[in-house]
Amino acid sequence: TDGERERYARHIVLREVAGELCETLENGEGRERAASEAADLLYHAMVLLNAQEVPFSDVMRVLRKRFGVSGVEEKAARPPK
């Protein structure tokens, strides 16, 4: 359906934008370029979250829980999928 194609296209765009951010950081293209690519990534992530009816406040709640916790500890505390 058109809705499924649109969601798929959004996911592809998000992956491409994430890749561009990684390349920018790996190539040391500077703060302004990194900030621009990160803004693109956040924008497209927020569009996808909205499409899935996930409020940004839910994302912020998860981030607040992670603050001050190492990535290893946080991942170990997650429930199994």
Side-chain angles (χ1 to χ4, degrees), residues 4-56:
E4 290 172 351
R5 280 192 286 265
E6 186 176 326
R7 280 192 297 274
Y8 178 74
R10 287 181 183 158
H11 285 281
I12 295 299
V13 168
L14 185 62
R15 288 174 191 262
E16 288 177 8
V17 171
E20 290 174 15
L21 174 59
C22 289
E23 287 178 19
T24 295
L25 295 171
E26 290 167 356
N27 295 333
E29 296 177 23
R31 290 175 57 153
E32 190 63 33
R33 178 82 174 146
S36 177
E37 293 297 340
D40 287 348
L41 179 64
L42 289 171
Y43 171 79
H44 289 287
M46 290 170 69
V47 167
L48 284 170
L49 288 167
N50 186 57
Q52 295 291 318
E53 299 181 3
V54 178
F56 198 69

Side-chain angles (χ1 to χ4, degrees), residues 50-62:
N50 186 57
Q52 295 291 318
E53 299 181 3
V54 178
F56 198 69
S57 58
D58 287 1
V59 176
M60 294 305 297
R61 179 180 40 78
V62 171

